[in-house]
C-alpha cells in the first residue's frame, strides 16, 4: 500500500506571527532578526525577496537592499507559544505526526482515504489551523516525506499541492537540483561543476555514478531525485528531556564547586541539543541534601539550545534552591519540552559572529573532542577536572541512555 505523507509548513513563520500581533505589517516588507548592524536576518517577508533578501544574511546588508523594510527584533516566547497552538491542532487532527521544527510538521495519513479523502482531510486541517491560529500555512501531499516537502515549497505561499502516486519523478524532473532537501551550497557547486543543474539530469544518470561522485550521499540524492524515500514519520512523543546529575563522593557545601558542576552539565547538555538538532523550553535544577531531602525548581523559557542563554538560567535556579545551612549530596540539571529545531531561532538576539562561533566550537568539539578511548576532552567539565560530565554520544538516536558505572564526583 502506498503511503500518504503530509508535509505542512507555516509560511514565513516569524513574520506571520508579528503580523498577527500587528496587522499594520501586512503586505509590507518585514525583516525579523538582530536589529543591530551586526545582527542576522532570522526571517523575511515575501515582499523583501525581489530585493535579494534572504534569511541568514547580515541585517545590515538586508537593510541596504530593502531600505523600506520594517525591522523587528524577534520574540522567541511569542513564536514558541504560537508553535504550540498549531502543534495541538495537528495532534487532534491526525493519528501520527512529527514535529520537524518549530514551524514544520509531517503527518502520516496512510489508510485514511478509506473513510475520507486524504487530500480533503489535509485541506480541512490546513483551514482549521488558519482559522484557529490566524497563521498562513502551506502543505504538500504525496507518497513520501521528500516529495511532500518539495511540493510544499512549490505551493507556497499559503497554498497546497498534491503529487499523485507514480507522478513523483516527472514532478521533480524540471526543478533545480538545489530544491532537493540535503543539497546545500557546497554539494550544489560540486554538481554544477559536473554540468548537473536540474533534477532530470540526475534521474538520467546511473545510481552508481552518483555514488562515485558523492559516496553514500550520492546514492541518497539519486533516490530522492527519483522520488524514492522511505524515511518514516518520527512520532512527536519522542524523547522529551535530557539530563545529567552527579553525586558527590563526600557531601559538600562548596558553592563554587557546585556552581562549576551545574555549569558544566548545562554546557554539555546544550551541546547535545545542538548536535541532535533540538531545542528546549524548560530548564530544571535538582539538589539533594545530606538528609536525602530532594528539591527541584524549573523555569519555562523560549526555545533555545544556546549556552549563553541556558547556563544563566541554570545558575539562577541553583541560587534559588541552595540552602547554605546544609551540606549537598547531589546536583542535577534537566532540559525538557524538547522539539526539533536549530539554533537560528536565536538570530534576533545574536550577531553573525556569535552564530559562527557556536558552529565553529561545535565543529571542533565533534572533530577533536575525544581521546583515543572515546572519552570527552573538550568541555567545560573536563577543563575543571570533572570526570564523566561530558558525553559525545547522541541522546536522540532512539537508543537507551548509557549510564556510567561510576557517577560519583
Amino acid at each position: 500500500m502506498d503511503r500518504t505523507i503530509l508535509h505542512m509548513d507555516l509560511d514565513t513563520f516569524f513574520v506571520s506571527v508579528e503580523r498577527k500581533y500587528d496587522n499594520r505589517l501586512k503586505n509590507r516588507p518585514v525583516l525579523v532578526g538582530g536589529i543591530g548592524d551586526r545582527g542576522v536576518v532570522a526571517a523575511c517577508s515575501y515582499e523583501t525577496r525581489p530585493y535579494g533578501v534572504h534569511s541568514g544574511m547580515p541585517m545590515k546588508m538586508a537593510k541596504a537592499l530593502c531600505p523600506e523594510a520594517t525591522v523587528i527584533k524577534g520574540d522567541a516566547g511569542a513564536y514558541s507559544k504560537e508553535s504550540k497552538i498549531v502543534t495541538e491542532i495537528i495532534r487532534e487532527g491526525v493519528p501520527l505526526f512529527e514535529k520537524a521544527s518549530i514551524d514544520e510538521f509531517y503527518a502520516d495519513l496512510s489508510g485514511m482515504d478509506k473513510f475520507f479523502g486524504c487530500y480533503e482531510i489535509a485541506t480541512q486541517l490546513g483551514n482549521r489551523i488558519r482559522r484557529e491560529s490566524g497563521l498562513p500555512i502551506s502543505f504538500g501531499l504525496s507518497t513520501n516525506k521528500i516529495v511532500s516537502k518539495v511540493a510544499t515549497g512549490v505551493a507556497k505561499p499559503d497554498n497546497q499541492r498534491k503529487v499523485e502516486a507514480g507522478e513523483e519523478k516527472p514532478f521533480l524532473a524540471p526543478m533545480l537540483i538545489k530544491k532537493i532537501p540535503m543539497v546545500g551550497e557546497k554539494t550544489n557547486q560540486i554538481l554544477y561543476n559536473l554540468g548537473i543543474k536540474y533534477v532530470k539530469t540526475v534521474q538520467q544518470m546511473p545510481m552508481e555514478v552518483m555514488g562515485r561522485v558523492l559516496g553514500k550521499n550520492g546514492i541518497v540524492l539519486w533516490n530522492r531525485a527519483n522520488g524514492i524515500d522511505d524515511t518514516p514519520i518520527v512520532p512527536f512523543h519522542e524523547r522529551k528531556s535530557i539530563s545529567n546529575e552527579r553525586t558527590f563522593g563526600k557531601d559538600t557545601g562548596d558553592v563554587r564547586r557546585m556552581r562549576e558542576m551545574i555549569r558544566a552539565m548545562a554546557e554539555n547538555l546544550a551541546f547535545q541539543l545542538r548536535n541532535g538538532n533540538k531545542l528546549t523550553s524548560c530548564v530544571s535544577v535538582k539538589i539533594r541534601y545530606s538528609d536525602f531531602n530532594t528539591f527541584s525548581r524549573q523555569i519555562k523559557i523560549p526555545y533555545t539550545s544556546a549556552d549563553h542563554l541556558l547556563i544563566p538560567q541554570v545558575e539562577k535556579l541553583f541560587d534559588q534552591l541552595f540552602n547554605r545551612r546544609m551540606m549537598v549530596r547531589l546536583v542535577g540539571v534537566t532540559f525538557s519540552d524538547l522539539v526539533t529545531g536549530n539554533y537560528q531561532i536565536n538570530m534576533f538576539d545574536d550577531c553573525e559572529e556569535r552564530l559562527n562561533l557556536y558552529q565553529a566550537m561545535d565543529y571542533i568539539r565533534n572533530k577533536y573532542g575525544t581521546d583515543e578511548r572515546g572519552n570527552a576532552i573538550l568541555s567545560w567539565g573536563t577543563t575543571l577536572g570533572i570526570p564523566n560530565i561530558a558525553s559525545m554520544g547522541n541522546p536522540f538516536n532512539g537508543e537507551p541512555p548509557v549510564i556510567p558505572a561510576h557517577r560519583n564526583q
Side-chain angles (χ1 to χ4, degrees), residues 25-38:
L25 298 174
K26 292 182 178 179
N27 301 317
R28 294 177 56 184
V30 177
L31 301 173
V32 178
I35 58 177
D37 285 343
R38 295 196 301 168

Side-chain angles (χ1 to χ4, degrees), residues 228-400:
I228 302 169
D229 173 44
D230 59 359
T231 307
I233 296 293
V234 180
F236 184 55
H237 53 76
E238 58 184 330
R239 184 168 181 171
K240 287 298 182 181
S241 67
I242 56 174
S243 62
N244 205 333
E245 61 182 43
R246 288 296 181 273
T247 301
F248 295 100
K250 182 179 180 181
D251 295 351
T252 182
D254 187 338
V255 177
R256 179 179 176 182
R257 185 63 171 170
M258 287 186 283
R259 285 176 65 89
E260 289 175 345
M261 180 76 77
I262 64 163
R263 181 185 176 93
M265 292 177 182
E267 181 259 355
N268 183 62
L269 292 173
F271 170 72
Q272 291 185 47
L273 288 178
R274 295 191 298 274
N275 251 10
N277 197 33
K278 300 291 181 180
L279 303 169
T280 180
S281 65
C282 185
V283 177
S284 306
V285 170
K286 177 170 70 173
I287 294 179
R288 179 169 297 151
Y289 292 102
S290 55
D291 61 358
F292 284 88
N293 281 324
T294 303
F295 300 90
S296 63
R297 183 164 292 188
Q298 69 178 35
I299 185 172
K300 298 288 290 184
I301 61 172
Y303 282 118
T304 187
S305 60
D307 295 5
H308 74 280
L309 298 176
L310 291 166
I311 291 174
Q313 297 292 348
V314 167
E315 293 178 329
K316 176 182 176 182
L317 290 173
F318 174 80
D319 291 340
Q320 293 173 351
L321 274 175
F322 179 58
N323 183 341
R324 297 176 184 273
R325 295 173 296 177
M326 191 173 296
M327 303 289 277
V328 172
R329 175 182 177 85
L330 172 149
V331 292
V333 176
T334 299
F335 295 159
S336 56
D337 288 353
L338 307 183
V339 298
T340 300
N342 56 42
Y343 178 64
Q344 289 181 346
I345 192 173
N346 296 308
M347 279 184 174
F348 17 83
D349 289 318
D350 298 328
C351 62
E352 188 175 13
E353 287 85 349
R354 176 173 275 165
L355 295 169
N356 291 336
L357 177 62
Y358 270 105
Q359 292 175 359
M361 289 193 306
D362 290 346
Y363 172 79
I364 292 171
R365 188 165 172 181
N366 278 315
K367 188 169 184 178
Y368 303 107
T370 57
D371 59 20
E372 64 277 5
R373 297 183 179 182
N375 299 314
I377 57 175
L378 291 179
S379 73
W380 182 267
T382 52
T383 60
L384 295 172
I386 304 173
N388 297 329
I389 203 73
S391 170
M392 298 299 293
N394 179 8
F396 307 106
N397 59 9
E399 298 177 1

Side-chain angles (χ1 to χ4, degrees), residues 114-317:
K114 294 180 180 179
F115 309 99
F116 205 53
C118 290
Y119 186 72
E120 183 63 27
I121 291 173
T123 299
Q124 291 191 5
L125 180 59
N127 290 337
R128 183 185 171 191
I129 291 171
R130 296 184 186 97
R131 183 174 64 253
E132 297 185 16
S133 73
L135 299 171
I137 191 166
S138 297
F139 76 74
L141 191 70
S142 77
T143 58
N144 62 62
K145 293 172 75 172
I146 292 299
V147 175
S148 293
K149 182 177 176 69
V150 175
T152 300
V154 172
K156 288 183 176 183
D158 200 21
N159 212 327
Q160 52 206 53
R161 178 67 183 267
K162 180 182 181 181
V163 179
E164 298 285 354
E167 295 298 316
E168 298 90 352
K169 190 172 178 178
F171 168 72
L172 296 171
M175 296 184 184
L176 293 170
I177 191 64
K178 65 182 180 181
K179 294 294 185 181
I180 301 295
M182 80 175 282
V183 179
E185 292 184 10
K186 185 177 180 179
T187 302
N188 187 55
Q189 188 61 49
I190 292 173
L191 296 172
Y192 184 81
N193 292 340
L194 294 172
I196 301 172
K197 187 176 180 181
Y198 295 97
V199 174
K200 63 182 178 182
T201 306
V202 177
Q203 292 177 348
Q204 294 165 357
M205 296 170 61
M207 181 172 61
E208 294 75 14
V209 174
M210 287 299 297
R212 287 197 294 270
V213 173
L214 296 174
K216 292 182 179 179
N217 287 338
I219 303 300
V220 175
L221 177 56
W222 186 90
N223 281 316
R224 291 186 174 188
N226 282 275
I228 302 169
D229 173 44
D230 59 359
T231 307
I233 296 293
V234 180
F236 184 55
H237 53 76
E238 58 184 330
R239 184 168 181 171
K240 287 298 182 181
S241 67
I242 56 174
S243 62
N244 205 333
E245 61 182 43
R246 288 296 181 273
T247 301
F248 295 100
K250 182 179 180 181
D251 295 351
T252 182
D254 187 338
V255 177
R256 179 179 176 182
R257 185 63 171 170
M258 287 186 283
R259 285 176 65 89
E260 289 175 345
M261 180 76 77
I262 64 163
R263 181 185 176 93
M265 292 177 182
E267 181 259 355
N268 183 62
L269 292 173
F271 170 72
Q272 291 185 47
L273 288 178
R274 295 191 298 274
N275 251 10
N277 197 33
K278 300 291 181 180
L279 303 169
T280 180
S281 65
C282 185
V283 177
S284 306
V285 170
K286 177 170 70 173
I287 294 179
R288 179 169 297 151
Y289 292 102
S290 55
D291 61 358
F292 284 88
N293 281 324
T294 303
F295 300 90
S296 63
R297 183 164 292 188
Q298 69 178 35
I299 185 172
K300 298 288 290 184
I301 61 172
Y303 282 118
T304 187
S305 60
D307 295 5
H308 74 280
L309 298 176
L310 291 166
I311 291 174
Q313 297 292 348
V314 167
E315 293 178 329
K316 176 182 176 182
L317 290 173

